[in-house]
Amino acid sequence: MERVPTEIPQPQPGSLSAAFSRAIEAVTTDVEVIGVLVSGGLDSLAVLVHALRMSKGRRVVAFTTDLTDDAGGSAAEVVRRLLADLGLPAELVVLDPARDRSEPVWSSAGPRLDALPEVNAAAADGARALGCGVLLSGDGADELLGVPRFATAAVAARRGVRAAGRYMADVASTGPGLPGELAGAAAGLLPRRLRARAYWAANWPAWCDPVAPSVLAEPYRSAATAWAREWVDVQVAAHAAGGRSWAQADSWDAAFPREEIPPARVVAETSPFLHETFLAAALALPLGDRYHPGLPSTYLRCKAQVVRLLPTTALPLLPRRKQYFKTTLAQASASGRHAPRCVEAGLLDGQALAIESDPAVLLVVTALERWLAGANEMAALSSP
């Protein structure tokens, strides 16, 4: 059974803030208690602020996981400070990732590919215990509103040459950097097909000739490699057919294709950023408007539209940098080296798996092993 991607609505220009509020109202209309997953970042903070605004006296409960970021900071402390400094009257539930864990509901759609699914399931259990009818998140904000690469010309057109210079300085150390920005500007002179191919080579060099991970056993590795190469050809052809600039292609690749992950437990889960009302408004936003040179840090300048969803008085209190949790995810991925069901089924190569070190690969292996375990349990329950 395949997951069915959500349909992409037609762009509808309009106020993002108004569309965001309408999206939250739509998903909370019949809910007595609203739950919000809050990470300490701007996206989930915007969801919490608007949920409180639209609550009309209903309880709003914020759930956060006390993760330690790569700089040694506590995500929960950031959330506590924001709630206190902004005067947000939400109840706060802090989850301990070492203690608060639950098994997500098994889905025939396939393995769950969210980070820390057992902790997410524990949050859903907590939401149910407190009577929450829905659990909101900030998923999709980065993909829809983040400033794309190769956007120098788009920023210049909307914000001016000085803003474009600041944008270039902000992205100089990321991805293709300044050479990529210059190449992206010059690529507009190329024919569509060549422009799309050049974009892919500059932005996704590892995916110019993709090869499936060595942990996959044959014949699955060859099949996955063939599928990946065909997928790349389809993506490049779509960019060429649409006549997209490099910035437009990068913004599209960030957001699509996307798949909805099923709820971890029985409480409904959704993101207002991915609701069709907000999605339509976000897709109509000019790419250059995603950046604002007047904000006080690179993080905020590149999240300008999310900042605009927050009260103007909140700006001095917002985090100036993004928290990263690569160390936490790497630790969580280590269990992926032990996947006996996958190896026994012939899906994975046990020897290659034993020496695999890429957390992204190991997290997928962990999800696949969990899914197979759930499938075995479902088969046992349904057998006479």
Side-chain angles (χ1 to χ4, degrees):
M1 178 177 178
E2 296 182 355
R3 294 179 185 167
V4 179
T6 302
E7 291 186 8
I8 302 171
Q10 290 296 316
Q12 295 289 335
S15 165
L16 284 188
S17 183
F20 198 58
S21 291
R22 290 198 303 272
I24 289 182
E25 182 178 28
V27 299
T28 62
T29 298
D30 300 320
V31 171
E32 294 183 3
V33 182
I34 303 170
V36 182
L37 293 170
V38 184
S39 66
L42 300 182
D43 307 334
S44 57
L45 177 63
V47 175
L48 181 62
V49 167
H50 282 256
L52 286 164
R53 187 179 297 168
M54 304 299 294
S55 64
K56 300 177 182 178
R58 292 173 292 175
R59 290 172 62 202
V60 177
V61 184
F63 297 86
T64 192
T65 302
D66 195 12
L67 300 176
T68 300
D69 67 21
D70 294 342
S74 163
E77 286 306 312
V78 172
V79 172
R80 288 191 183 98
R81 179 183 63 79
L82 286 170
L83 264 61
D85 290 351
L86 297 176
L88 301 177
E91 302 173 35
L92 179 62
V93 175
V94 178
L95 301 166
D96 180 346
R99 182 192 66 228
D100 298 317
R101 306 175 74 85
S102 186
E103 189 63 29
V105 174
W106 185 84
S107 170
S108 60
R112 296 182 61 85
L113 298 180
D114 52 336
L116 307 178
E118 292 171 315
V119 179
N120 295 337
D125 282 344
R128 182 187 182 189
L130 291 174
C132 296
V134 69
L135 197 52
L136 306 180
S137 74
D139 290 351
D142 276 336
E143 295 81 357
L144 285 170
L145 298 180
V147 180
R149 295 169 177 172
F150 317 117
T152 299
V155 172
R158 301 294 295 183
R159 303 289 190 184
V161 175
R162 293 183 64 181
R166 188 157 204 183
Y167 162 80
M168 291 181 72
D170 282 338
V171 302
S173 61
T174 64
L178 293 181
E181 291 297 318
L182 296 174
L189 301 174
L190 298 175
R192 287 185 174 193
R193 182 72 181 180
L194 183 56
R195 180 167 72 231
R197 278 289 173 190
Y199 153 76
W200 198 267
N203 207 33
W204 311 109
W207 276 82
C208 286
D209 186 26
V211 177
S214 59
V215 297
L216 273 176
E218 294 292 358
Y220 304 107
R221 190 178 188 217
S222 295
T225 297
W227 178 90
R229 291 172 178 172
E230 181 181 355
W231 181 84
V232 168
D233 288 340
V234 170
Q235 298 303 109
V236 172
H239 291 322
R244 295 170 186 151
S245 68
W246 282 20
Q248 290 169 335
D250 184 59
S251 67
W252 185 267
D253 287 341
F256 307 108
R258 64 182 180 85
E259 296 177 337
E260 293 187 0
I261 297 174
R265 301 292 281 175
V266 297
V267 176
E269 298 179 30
T270 190
S271 168
F273 288 103
L274 299 177
H275 188 273
E276 60 181 8
T277 299
F278 184 81
L279 193 56
L283 291 176
L285 185 74
L287 295 183
D289 285 358
R290 295 188 186 185
Y291 181 83
H292 197 296
L295 294 171
S297 73
T298 298
Y299 175 49
L300 296 178
R301 289 192 288 273
C302 291
K303 299 278 291 184
Q305 290 299 330
V306 178
V307 172
R308 289 193 64 185
L309 294 175
L310 297 166
T312 55
T313 54
L315 181 58
L317 305 171
L318 299 179
R320 299 297 176 88
R321 66 173 183 86
K322 181 179 178 66
Q323 286 183 292
Y324 291 95
F325 302 94
K326 293 180 180 178
T327 301
T328 296
L329 291 178
Q331 292 170 346
S333 73
S335 62
R337 293 195 187 93
H338 182 68
R341 292 180 181 84
C342 292
V343 174
E344 183 180 353
L347 297 175
L348 302 182
D349 182 316
Q351 292 183 330
L353 182 60
I355 60 174
E356 179 60 56
S357 60
D358 186 343
V361 172
L362 293 174
L363 285 171
V364 173
V365 170
T366 301
L368 181 56
E369 182 73 6
R370 177 182 288 112
W371 186 82
L372 285 178
N376 287 339
E377 183 177 344
M378 293 296 291
L381 291 174
S382 61
S383 62

